[in-house]
Amino acid sequence: MNCPKCQQHAMDPESLHGVSYERCPHCQGMFYEGPVLQKVIAEGIGSRDSLAFSVQSDLMDPITAHCFRCARDMTPVMMQGVRIDRCDKCQGVFLDQGEVASLQFAR
């Protein structure tokens, strides 16, 4: 399954602190199941994301994400002041590099 944003690189499955997600090795964006992301934010579970500035993240932000599970465009939504991409069908979410850390910092 290719990255919802750069669409040229396969997503790598990862797990940290018992939380499973997929990460793009190129743009460092992450795909979470909707309820999993809520748990990561609410419980402050560590992730491999960082608040460090990323040129790659800024380049990816305006690109429309495409859900690799449902084969449809994802909808940009605001969550705690952070723009993320959500699939209206499967409720999966894609976050550009730094967005998970931003959501955790904002809580």
Side-chain angles (χ1 to χ4, degrees):
M1 297 181 282
N2 284 351
C3 176
K5 284 278 182 109
C6 65
Q7 298 182 8
Q8 297 175 18
H9 302 275
M11 299 290 282
D12 292 332
E14 294 187 4
S15 180
L16 186 65
H17 304 287
V19 174
S20 296
Y21 57 94
E22 296 180 56
R23 179 191 289 273
C24 175
H26 176 69
C27 71
Q28 300 300 306
M30 293 181 279
F31 183 90
Y32 289 90
E33 301 297 330
V36 173
L37 177 62
Q38 294 296 332
K39 180 178 179 177
V40 167
I41 294 167
E43 297 179 16
I45 296 171
S47 76
R48 290 184 48 206
D49 201 20
S50 104
L51 287 169
F53 173 75
S54 166
V55 172
Q56 188 66 33
S57 178
D58 284 352
L59 294 173
M60 293 287 116
D61 203 38
I63 297 172
T64 299
H66 189 77
C67 182
F68 53 74
R69 294 216 168 101
C70 300
R72 56 192 300 171
D73 286 345
M74 299 176 87
T75 304
V77 295
M78 294 301 289
M79 176 184 241
Q80 296 174 260
V82 177
R83 181 191 172 277
I84 65 171
D85 299 286
R86 182 180 66 216
C87 177
D88 295 330
K89 185 173 181 182
C90 73
Q91 301 303 308
V93 290
F94 183 82
L95 296 96
D96 296 316
Q97 181 182 10
E99 291 177 343
V100 173
S102 295
L103 288 169
Q104 288 177 324
F105 183 76
R107 76 171 178 94

